[in-house]
Amino acid sequence: GAVVSQHPSRVICKSGTSVKIECRSLDFQATTMFWYRQFPKKSLMLMATSNEGSKATYEQGVEKDKFLINHASLTLSTLTVTSAHPEDSSFYICSGTSGSLDTQYFGPGTRLTVL
Amino acid sequence: GENVEQHPSTLSVQEGDSAVIKCTYSDSASNYFPWYKQELGKRPQLIIDIRSNVGEKKDQRIAVTLNKTAKHFSLHITETQPEDSAVYFCAAMMGAAGNKLTFGGGTRVLVKP
């Protein structure tokens, strides 16, 4: 199956700093990438959808100025959590799809801890 | 938007028994229904999926059924093994909604040896 990587896998930062998470499709061109957030023992909640070369579409309740998403190429999307606060601590997971295909392939996730 | 309900939230079975997880969805326009297995701290892994033009699909010990009229779909795992212990998520996708997945709340499955 298709492979998606994420970097870093784990990050700890101080409150008020910004953190960038990278999501890469390694063996396919991800025309669409999705960003999810998952709190402990909870389900995956979609934050935003990004299409290569265009602005991301954010889900209701997700602040676009706080969670900056860039999808500059068919193999890379980035999520920047700006001015992070402890309540932003979570497991952030990306996924990618290719063309009109519906199967989403997930990255390994990034665990963010904001002190 | 789409809403997916998943039951039960926890399921404990004896090794070798079957496990069944049920999901319902709200939007009749949804046409793709994947199931993911997630181990602690790991990525969700696709284990089986079904599309709205099919009523049942099987892959070795795993099967999924879909009832479009009732808007529910189920995951069946037969001959469970300890390595089947994980959290399982159902999801529904509406192609017209940009291929966005809506996930159920998850089922924590424990297979006791």
Side-chain angles (χ1 to χ4, degrees):
Chain A
V3 180
V4 176
S5 70
Q6 269 182 254
H7 180 79
S9 58
R10 189 180 295 267
V11 58
I12 301 172
C13 68
K14 292 183 178 179
S15 185
T17 60
S18 294
V19 175
K20 179 185 282 189
I21 302 169
E22 292 186 348
C23 176
R24 294 182 185 272
S25 55
L26 300 184
D27 54 0
F28 70 102
Q29 292 186 325
T31 49
T32 303
M33 284 186 168
F34 302 87
W35 286 95
Y36 296 84
R37 181 166 50 182
Q38 186 177 32
F39 291 109
K41 297 187 178 182
K42 297 293 185 183
S43 188
L44 287 82
M45 298 298 294
L46 180 65
M47 298 174 66
T49 303
S50 75
N51 291 294
E52 184 264 339
S54 60
K55 288 184 179 181
T57 302
Y58 291 81
E59 294 299 301
Q60 193 172 8
V62 179
E63 299 174 56
K64 62 179 182 180
D65 294 330
K66 180 169 183 62
F67 298 99
L68 302 178
I69 292 172
N70 183 281
H71 192 165
S73 78
L74 286 172
T75 59
L76 174 64
S77 176
T78 60
L79 167 68
T80 301
V81 183
T82 63
S83 186
H85 291 288
E87 58 265 31
D88 298 323
S89 298
S90 187
F91 194 49
Y92 291 87
I93 310 176
C94 69
S95 71
T97 61
S98 180
S100 61
L101 298 177
D102 45 27
T103 303
Q104 288 190 22
Y105 299 97
F106 284 85
T110 296
R111 184 160 304 283
L112 170 64
T113 303
V114 185
L115 302 176
Chain B
E2 177 64 277
N3 182 50
V4 178
E5 299 282 340
Q6 183 171 346
H7 298 281
S9 58
T10 59
L11 180 59
S12 182
V13 296
Q14 207 63 41
E15 183 179 358
D17 288 349
S18 295
V20 180
I21 304 171
K22 299 182 179 182
C23 289
T24 60
Y25 61 99
S26 61
D27 198 317
S28 56
S30 289
N31 53 14
Y32 174 63
F33 307 91
W35 285 87
Y36 289 89
K37 176 183 180 182
Q38 187 180 32
E39 297 178 2
L40 188 62
K42 301 285 182 65
R43 78 183 81 201
Q45 290 192 307
L46 179 70
I47 55 172
I48 197 168
D49 57 11
I50 192 167
R51 291 174 176 79
S52 59
N53 58 347
V54 176
E56 185 173 354
K57 184 176 178 181
K58 189 173 182 180
D59 182 4
Q60 298 183 330
R61 297 186 296 109
I62 295 173
V64 58
T65 59
L66 171 65
N67 184 326
K68 288 188 296 182
T69 304
K71 290 188 282 189
H72 67 69
F73 55 115
S74 301
L75 177 72
H76 303 251
I77 307 173
T78 58
E79 300 172 30
T80 54
Q81 302 166 2
E83 51 266 37
D84 294 330
S85 297
V87 179
Y88 291 80
F89 292 98
C90 63
M93 176 188 286
M94 219 177 356
N99 286 358
K100 294 196 299 185
L101 280 175
T102 300
F103 282 84
T107 298
R108 188 171 300 274
V109 175
L110 174 63
V111 180
K112 295 181 287 185

